[in-house]
Amino acid sequence: MATIDFNAEVEKRKDALMEDLFTLLRINSAEDKAHANAENPFGPGPRQALDAFLAIAKRDGYETKNYDNYAGHFVYENGAKEDAETLAIIGHLDVVPAGAGWDSNPFEPEIRQGNLYARGASDDKGPTMACYYGLKILKELNVPLSKKIRFIVGTNEETGWADMDYYFDHCELPLPEFGFSPDAEFPIINGEKGNITEYLHFVGKNDGEVILNSFTAGLAENMVPESATAVITGAKDLKGQLDQFISEYADKNLRYDLEENGDKATITLHGRAAHGAMPEKGINGATYLALFLNRYNFGGGAAAYLRIASEILLEDHEGEKLGVAYVDDLMGNTSMNAGVWTYDEATEGTIALNFRFPQGNSPERMQEILKAIDGVDDVTLSEHLHTPHYVPMEDPLVSTLIDVYEKHTGLKGYETIIGGGTFGRLLKRGVAYGAMFEGEPDSMHQANEMKPVENIFKAAVIYAEAIYELTK
């Protein structure tokens, strides 16, 4: 077959790619538990995004299958033998909540100064659509294949992976032999740390000089909380104390909102959101609000809650003060994000600690250490556990993807192990591949999430040739 000019093929399809991408980006596909039901397992938004994607695939001539609105797929064979291996491409259509601080409507995509702004532009609708168009090129050119291709999309990647649990439990096809997820960065992610959330539980009752009525923070366990809100009773001179606190931590660019009604006050402290796999890139509004409140005389569970938050969890991104720190020569360190916070004086308080841990560390080890912290009433584990995952550089999947990356960027490829979790780890020989390029700002899970438009097209070129090289 004649050499394919993948750059030229993407050029022909730029407008169509962006039109399809905008269709997906206009759907708020964050999990909505309040409106979840049998027809919408994660809420209406994720289901609408799945419907839209499968409609695009059906339009392009694929025979699609929807697995009860959890996930969907289509298979493309074009000459591959019945017993041929299957390459899986696994993306996701759900997003994290938009949160505050946007300069534009997060679900009305805008292109400004060459950048596409929208929730999901970078994680993961933009990369998924770039990869879809990479395959679309091969289909429209009628390229014969030696391997089958199964394109899978999920709707619950950000909050639990129940979509993929359901998909692989109900899919009638065998597990693909190898594959990649377009949900990270180039040149490749061939190793991923384990992922577990451990919940610290505290007694709700408190009867100190100042009462903590409630404390809330965090939109998702894998996000650094941008803001936190506490309702307290009995504190004096709050405005003066807050002004002094903000001044003391001027380098953190904190700001606050204060409402007072008699002796009861509501305080909201704002920091900066970031991806939970890289907590050091954010300013955790919850830990800094706890640091401020810890100057007052609380009692009972509230005193322990605020003391542990401010003296141990504050800026403890690797779990050193917690005592759970662990470093592996290959996979690196353990990271910790205190992602979701609740406290109710009538019931209890919880802090969800999301850990990304290397081989050698374990959820059980960390749980025992956390249980021993003075003031913690109990420690429980989330149902969702991902163990550490690694595919060696010499694997043909990895070496082929690296070669294609090097060809189209002129840069040297190298292996990368991350704390983030991608659908690549669902396969024994699975990796993540793009679509964030070296030097590209990382805005995933943050306000004003964006993707440079030219990088979407560049990724499509790389995906097209990568799929071609793996299946030709």
Side-chain angles (χ1 to χ4, degrees), residues 230-279:
V231 179
I232 62 175
T233 301
K236 309 295 184 186
D237 186 29
L238 275 172
K239 187 177 187 310
Q241 293 289 326
L242 279 164
D243 288 339
Q244 178 187 342
F245 180 77
I246 295 296
S247 177
E248 288 175 14
Y249 293 92
D251 61 317
K252 304 297 181 184
N253 294 313
L254 302 170
R255 60 184 180 85
Y256 72 87
D257 302 312
L258 173 64
E259 295 181 15
E260 294 183 279
N261 185 6
D263 65 347
K264 183 169 282 191
T266 301
I267 308 165
T268 299
L269 192 72
H270 301 271
R272 186 176 72 246
H275 196 299
M278 295 160 282

Side-chain angles (χ1 to χ4, degrees), residues 185-219:
E185 57 198 64
F186 290 118
I188 202 163
I189 305 296
N190 61 313
E192 299 182 13
K193 297 177 185 178
N195 188 330
I196 188 71
T197 298
E198 311 214 358
Y199 303 93
L200 307 184
H201 297 267
F202 300 82
V203 174
K205 183 180 178 182
N206 61 106
D207 54 2
E209 180 182 318
V210 181
I211 303 295
L212 181 62
N213 307 113
S214 67
F215 190 108
T216 56
L219 296 169

Side-chain angles (χ1 to χ4, degrees), residues 41 47 128 133 159 165 183 196 205 228 295 309 321 383 388 406 414 417 421 435 442 444 459:
R47 187 257 177 91
T128 295
Y133 265 76
T159 50
D165 290 340
D183 187 26
I196 188 71
K205 183 180 178 182
R295 66 183 60 194
K321 289 185 286 183
E383 296 178 0
E406 291 179 342
Y414 51 87
I417 297 168
D442 180 4
M444 297 183 194

